[in-house]
Amino acid sequence: MSDNIQKVTVLSKTTWTPNLFSFTVSRPDSFKFTAGQFVRLGVNPSQLNYYKQLSAVADAEEDEDLNETLDEDIFRAYSIVSSPFDEILEFFSIVIPDGAFTSQLQHLEVGDELLLNTMPFGFLTLARYQKPLPKDLWLLATGTGLAPFLSMLQDLKTWEDYEHIVLAYSARSTEELAYIEKIESLQEDFGTLVDNPAKLIFIPIVTREPVEGALAERLPKLLLDGTLQERAGIDLDVDSTHVMLCGNPEMVEDTKETLKSLGLVMNRRGEGNIAVENYW
Protein backbone atom coordinates (compact mmCIF):
# COMPACT_ATOMS: atom_id res chain seq x y z
CA MET A 1 0.00 0.00 0.00
CA SER A 2 1.33 3.46 -0.92
CA ASP A 3 2.63 5.68 1.89
CA ASN A 4 -0.10 8.18 0.93
CA ILE A 5 -2.88 5.65 1.50
CA GLN A 6 -4.27 5.29 5.00
CA LYS A 7 -7.18 3.34 6.38
CA VAL A 8 -10.04 5.36 7.88
CA THR A 9 -13.08 4.13 9.79
CA VAL A 10 -16.69 5.03 9.02
CA LEU A 11 -18.15 6.84 12.04
CA SER A 12 -21.65 7.75 10.82
CA LYS A 13 -23.93 7.68 7.81
CA THR A 14 -26.89 9.90 6.89
CA THR A 15 -29.31 8.89 4.14
CA TRP A 16 -30.98 11.93 2.53
CA THR A 17 -32.81 10.14 -0.30
CA PRO A 18 -32.51 6.68 -1.88
CA ASN A 19 -29.77 8.15 -4.08
CA LEU A 20 -28.07 10.68 -1.76
CA PHE A 21 -26.17 10.04 1.44
CA SER A 22 -23.43 11.51 3.62
CA PHE A 23 -20.89 9.79 5.80
CA THR A 24 -18.12 10.68 8.21
CA VAL A 25 -14.81 8.92 8.73
CA SER A 26 -11.91 9.20 11.13
CA ARG A 27 -9.23 11.74 10.22
CA PRO A 28 -5.55 10.75 10.19
CA ASP A 29 -3.55 13.02 12.49
CA SER A 30 -1.18 14.15 9.76
CA PHE A 31 -3.84 14.88 7.13
CA LYS A 32 -4.24 18.53 6.14
CA PHE A 33 -6.29 20.17 3.39
CA THR A 34 -7.63 23.54 2.28
CA ALA A 35 -11.38 24.19 2.23
CA GLY A 36 -12.64 23.39 -1.27
CA GLN A 37 -10.16 20.63 -2.04
CA PHE A 38 -10.98 17.01 -2.77
CA VAL A 39 -9.38 13.66 -2.01
CA ARG A 40 -9.40 10.20 -3.48
CA LEU A 41 -11.35 7.71 -1.39
CA GLY A 42 -11.03 3.99 -1.89
CA VAL A 43 -13.26 1.06 -1.08
CA ASN A 44 -12.68 -2.68 -1.29
CA PRO A 45 -16.21 -4.09 -1.43
CA SER A 46 -15.16 -7.48 -0.09
CA GLN A 47 -14.10 -5.77 3.15
CA LEU A 48 -17.45 -4.05 3.78
CA ASN A 49 -19.63 -5.61 6.49
CA TYR A 50 -22.51 -5.80 4.02
CA TYR A 51 -20.55 -8.08 1.70
CA LYS A 52 -18.97 -10.07 4.51
CA GLN A 53 -22.47 -11.01 5.59
CA LEU A 54 -23.43 -11.89 2.01
CA SER A 55 -20.25 -13.89 1.69
CA ALA A 56 -21.08 -15.91 4.76
CA VAL A 57 -24.43 -16.79 3.20
CA ALA A 58 -22.75 -17.52 -0.13
CA ASP A 59 -20.21 -19.82 1.52
CA ALA A 60 -23.03 -21.73 3.11
CA GLU A 61 -24.51 -22.13 -0.35
CA GLU A 62 -21.12 -23.06 -1.87
CA ASP A 63 -20.96 -19.94 -4.06
CA GLU A 64 -17.22 -19.42 -4.61
CA ASP A 65 -17.39 -16.46 -7.03
CA LEU A 66 -18.64 -13.66 -4.78
CA ASN A 67 -15.38 -12.63 -3.06
CA GLU A 68 -13.33 -12.85 -6.25
CA THR A 69 -15.54 -10.40 -8.13
CA LEU A 70 -15.58 -7.86 -5.30
CA ASP A 71 -12.01 -8.07 -3.98
CA GLU A 72 -10.34 -4.98 -5.44
CA ASP A 73 -9.62 -1.40 -4.34
CA ILE A 74 -11.71 1.19 -6.22
CA PHE A 75 -10.87 4.91 -5.87
CA ARG A 76 -12.91 8.00 -6.72
CA ALA A 77 -12.56 11.75 -6.08
CA TYR A 78 -14.66 13.30 -3.30
CA SER A 79 -14.84 16.91 -2.13
CA ILE A 80 -14.65 17.30 1.64
CA VAL A 81 -17.71 18.70 3.43
CA SER A 82 -16.08 19.28 6.79
CA SER A 83 -13.99 22.21 7.94
CA PRO A 84 -10.20 21.97 7.61
CA PHE A 85 -10.20 22.18 11.43
CA ASP A 86 -12.68 19.38 12.17
CA GLU A 87 -11.49 16.22 13.89
CA ILE A 88 -13.43 14.06 11.43
CA LEU A 89 -13.89 14.06 7.66
CA GLU A 90 -17.32 14.25 6.04
CA PHE A 91 -18.34 13.44 2.47
CA PHE A 92 -21.53 13.83 0.42
CA SER A 93 -22.28 11.16 -2.20
CA ILE A 94 -24.74 10.31 -4.92
CA VAL A 95 -25.53 6.72 -5.83
CA ILE A 96 -24.87 6.12 -9.51
CA PRO A 97 -26.75 3.01 -10.65
CA ASP A 98 -24.22 0.37 -11.72
CA GLY A 99 -21.39 2.75 -10.78
CA ALA A 100 -18.32 0.76 -9.77
CA PHE A 101 -17.74 2.93 -6.71
CA THR A 102 -20.96 4.47 -5.44
CA SER A 103 -23.03 1.34 -5.99
CA GLN A 104 -20.70 -0.28 -3.44
CA LEU A 105 -20.36 2.74 -1.16
CA GLN A 106 -24.11 2.92 -0.59
CA HIS A 107 -23.74 -0.21 1.54
CA LEU A 108 -21.44 1.53 4.03
CA GLU A 109 -22.03 0.80 7.69
CA VAL A 110 -20.52 2.31 10.83
CA GLY A 111 -17.27 0.49 11.53
CA ASP A 112 -16.40 -0.20 7.90
CA GLU A 113 -12.92 0.76 6.70
CA LEU A 114 -12.18 2.89 3.65
CA LEU A 115 -8.90 3.98 2.08
CA LEU A 116 -7.90 7.65 2.03
CA ASN A 117 -5.23 9.08 -0.24
CA THR A 118 -3.86 11.75 2.09
CA MET A 119 -2.68 13.99 -0.74
CA PRO A 120 -5.44 16.59 -1.32
CA PHE A 121 -6.16 17.83 -4.83
CA GLY A 122 -7.87 20.74 -6.52
CA PHE A 123 -7.76 24.50 -6.89
CA LEU A 124 -11.37 25.38 -6.02
CA THR A 125 -10.06 27.33 -3.04
CA LEU A 126 -10.46 30.95 -2.05
CA ALA A 127 -6.69 31.41 -1.99
CA ARG A 128 -6.70 31.37 -5.79
CA TYR A 129 -8.28 34.83 -5.86
CA GLN A 130 -5.73 37.66 -5.93
CA LYS A 131 -7.72 40.12 -8.07
CA PRO A 132 -10.35 41.36 -7.64
CA LEU A 133 -9.96 41.68 -3.89
CA PRO A 134 -12.59 39.84 -1.83
CA LYS A 135 -15.96 41.51 -1.48
CA ASP A 136 -18.87 39.44 -2.81
CA LEU A 137 -18.60 35.64 -2.98
CA TRP A 138 -21.11 33.66 -5.04
CA LEU A 139 -21.18 29.89 -4.47
CA LEU A 140 -23.33 28.16 -7.11
CA ALA A 141 -23.98 24.45 -6.58
CA THR A 142 -26.08 21.57 -7.77
CA GLY A 143 -26.40 18.28 -5.91
CA THR A 144 -23.26 17.02 -4.21
CA GLY A 145 -21.40 20.03 -5.61
CA LEU A 146 -22.49 21.68 -2.35
CA ALA A 147 -19.72 19.83 -0.48
CA PRO A 148 -16.70 22.12 -1.04
CA PHE A 149 -18.81 25.20 -0.30
CA LEU A 150 -19.91 23.82 3.06
CA SER A 151 -16.25 23.33 3.90
CA MET A 152 -15.47 26.96 2.98
CA LEU A 153 -18.40 28.20 5.05
CA GLN A 154 -17.02 26.41 8.11
CA ASP A 155 -13.71 28.26 7.78
CA LEU A 156 -13.68 31.54 9.74
CA LYS A 157 -11.42 33.22 7.20
CA THR A 158 -14.24 33.08 4.64
CA TRP A 159 -16.47 35.07 6.98
CA GLU A 160 -13.70 37.55 7.69
CA ASP A 161 -12.70 38.23 4.09
CA TYR A 162 -16.06 38.90 2.42
CA GLU A 163 -18.94 41.35 2.86
CA HIS A 164 -21.60 39.17 1.21
CA ILE A 165 -21.72 35.42 0.54
CA VAL A 166 -24.44 34.14 -1.78
CA LEU A 167 -25.04 30.39 -1.64
CA ALA A 168 -27.37 29.28 -4.45
CA TYR A 169 -28.09 25.57 -4.16
CA SER A 170 -30.11 23.81 -6.86
CA ALA A 171 -31.80 20.40 -6.73
CA ARG A 172 -34.59 18.66 -8.58
CA SER A 173 -36.82 18.18 -5.52
CA THR A 174 -37.13 19.44 -1.96
CA GLU A 175 -35.91 16.17 -0.49
CA GLU A 176 -32.71 16.46 -2.52
CA LEU A 177 -31.85 19.77 -0.84
CA ALA A 178 -29.57 18.23 1.77
CA TYR A 179 -27.93 19.99 4.73
CA ILE A 180 -30.61 22.71 4.94
CA GLU A 181 -30.53 22.88 8.75
CA LYS A 182 -26.76 23.15 8.68
CA ILE A 183 -26.86 25.91 6.06
CA GLU A 184 -29.43 27.87 8.06
CA SER A 185 -27.23 27.71 11.18
CA LEU A 186 -23.96 28.75 9.51
CA GLN A 187 -24.35 32.48 10.11
CA GLU A 188 -24.93 31.89 13.82
CA ASP A 189 -22.35 29.13 14.22
CA PHE A 190 -19.50 30.78 12.32
CA GLY A 191 -20.36 34.37 11.47
CA THR A 192 -20.71 35.28 15.12
CA LEU A 193 -17.14 34.17 15.83
CA VAL A 194 -15.52 37.00 13.84
CA ASP A 195 -15.74 40.79 13.85
CA ASN A 196 -17.73 42.31 10.95
CA PRO A 197 -18.68 38.95 9.39
CA ALA A 198 -19.99 38.50 5.90
CA LYS A 199 -23.75 38.35 5.43
CA LEU A 200 -24.83 34.93 4.15
CA ILE A 201 -27.64 34.96 1.60
CA PHE A 202 -29.01 31.46 0.99
CA ILE A 203 -31.07 30.90 -2.16
CA PRO A 204 -32.62 27.43 -2.57
CA ILE A 205 -33.59 26.39 -6.10
CA VAL A 206 -35.93 23.46 -6.85
CA THR A 207 -36.42 22.78 -10.55
CA ARG A 208 -38.98 19.97 -10.75
CA GLU A 209 -41.64 20.86 -8.20
CA PRO A 210 -43.11 24.12 -6.89
CA VAL A 211 -41.70 25.05 -3.49
CA GLU A 212 -42.65 28.17 -1.57
CA GLY A 213 -39.66 30.45 -1.14
CA ALA A 214 -37.48 28.63 -3.66
CA LEU A 215 -36.61 29.68 -7.19
CA ALA A 216 -37.52 27.21 -9.91
CA GLU A 217 -35.36 27.72 -13.01
CA ARG A 218 -31.87 26.50 -13.89
CA LEU A 219 -28.97 28.65 -12.72
CA PRO A 220 -28.00 29.98 -16.19
CA LYS A 221 -31.51 31.30 -16.81
CA LEU A 222 -31.77 32.82 -13.33
CA LEU A 223 -28.49 34.65 -13.91
CA LEU A 224 -29.30 35.75 -17.44
CA ASP A 225 -32.64 37.31 -16.58
CA GLY A 226 -31.33 38.80 -13.33
CA THR A 227 -33.64 36.84 -11.02
CA LEU A 228 -30.78 35.43 -8.95
CA GLN A 229 -29.14 38.83 -8.55
CA GLU A 230 -32.47 40.38 -7.56
CA ARG A 231 -33.09 37.71 -4.92
CA ALA A 232 -29.57 38.15 -3.56
CA GLY A 233 -29.89 41.91 -3.48
CA ILE A 234 -26.47 42.45 -5.04
CA ASP A 235 -25.17 42.59 -8.60
CA LEU A 236 -22.42 40.68 -10.33
CA ASP A 237 -19.55 43.13 -10.72
CA VAL A 238 -16.32 42.35 -12.57
CA ASP A 239 -14.43 44.51 -10.06
CA SER A 240 -15.74 42.94 -6.85
CA THR A 241 -17.25 39.50 -7.52
CA HIS A 242 -15.82 36.02 -6.98
CA VAL A 243 -17.96 33.18 -8.38
CA MET A 244 -17.40 29.48 -7.78
CA LEU A 245 -19.24 26.67 -9.58
CA CYS A 246 -19.49 23.03 -8.54
CA GLY A 247 -21.96 20.37 -9.57
CA ASN A 248 -23.01 18.45 -12.64
CA PRO A 249 -20.82 19.18 -15.68
CA GLU A 250 -23.67 20.54 -17.81
CA MET A 251 -24.59 23.11 -15.14
CA VAL A 252 -20.96 24.12 -14.68
CA GLU A 253 -20.37 24.62 -18.39
CA ASP A 254 -23.66 26.44 -19.11
CA THR A 255 -23.36 28.68 -16.06
CA LYS A 256 -19.74 29.49 -16.82
CA GLU A 257 -20.66 30.61 -20.33
CA THR A 258 -23.59 32.65 -18.96
CA LEU A 259 -21.34 34.43 -16.48
CA LYS A 260 -18.86 35.21 -19.25
CA SER A 261 -21.69 36.67 -21.34
CA LEU A 262 -22.47 38.95 -18.37
CA GLY A 263 -18.93 40.34 -18.44
CA LEU A 264 -17.19 38.19 -15.81
CA VAL A 265 -13.93 36.42 -16.69
CA MET A 266 -12.32 33.12 -15.82
CA ASN A 267 -9.82 33.17 -12.98
CA ARG A 268 -6.34 32.44 -14.29
CA ARG A 269 -3.07 32.91 -12.43
CA GLY A 270 -4.97 34.47 -9.55
CA GLU A 271 -6.87 37.08 -11.54
CA GLY A 272 -10.50 36.95 -12.63
CA ASN A 273 -13.95 36.18 -11.30
CA ILE A 274 -14.97 32.62 -12.17
CA ALA A 275 -13.54 29.40 -10.70
CA VAL A 276 -14.74 25.87 -11.43
CA GLU A 277 -13.67 22.36 -10.48
CA ASN A 278 -13.49 19.76 -13.24
CA TYR A 279 -12.95 16.40 -11.61
CA TRP A 280 -16.18 14.68 -12.64
Side-chain angles (χ1 to χ4, degrees), residues 232-244:
I234 55 176
D235 290 326
L236 295 165
D237 186 332
V238 70
D239 294 321
S240 62
T241 298
H242 297 170
V243 187
M244 290 187 151

Side-chain angles (χ1 to χ4, degrees), residues 76-95:
R76 292 292 184 273
Y78 270 79
S79 289
I80 303 169
V81 172
S82 41
S83 160
F85 307 102
D86 280 348
E87 296 181 355
I88 61 171
L89 299 175
E90 184 167 357
F91 301 94
F92 186 20
S93 182
I94 187 171
V95 177

Side-chain angles (χ1 to χ4, degrees), residues 100-148:
F101 190 86
T102 63
S103 62
Q104 310 299 342
L105 209 64
Q106 67 179 317
H107 300 304
L108 274 187
E109 298 176 9
V110 172
D112 277 332
E113 285 190 337
L114 296 176
L115 302 173
L116 171 70
N117 185 326
T118 56
M119 180 177 293
F121 299 90
F123 300 97
L124 194 73
T125 64
L126 295 176
R128 71 181 293 156
Y129 286 109
Q130 306 303 317
K131 292 182 181 180
L133 294 175
K135 184 184 177 189
D136 299 329
L137 175 63
W138 293 68
L139 304 173
L140 310 183
T142 56
T144 57
L146 176 70

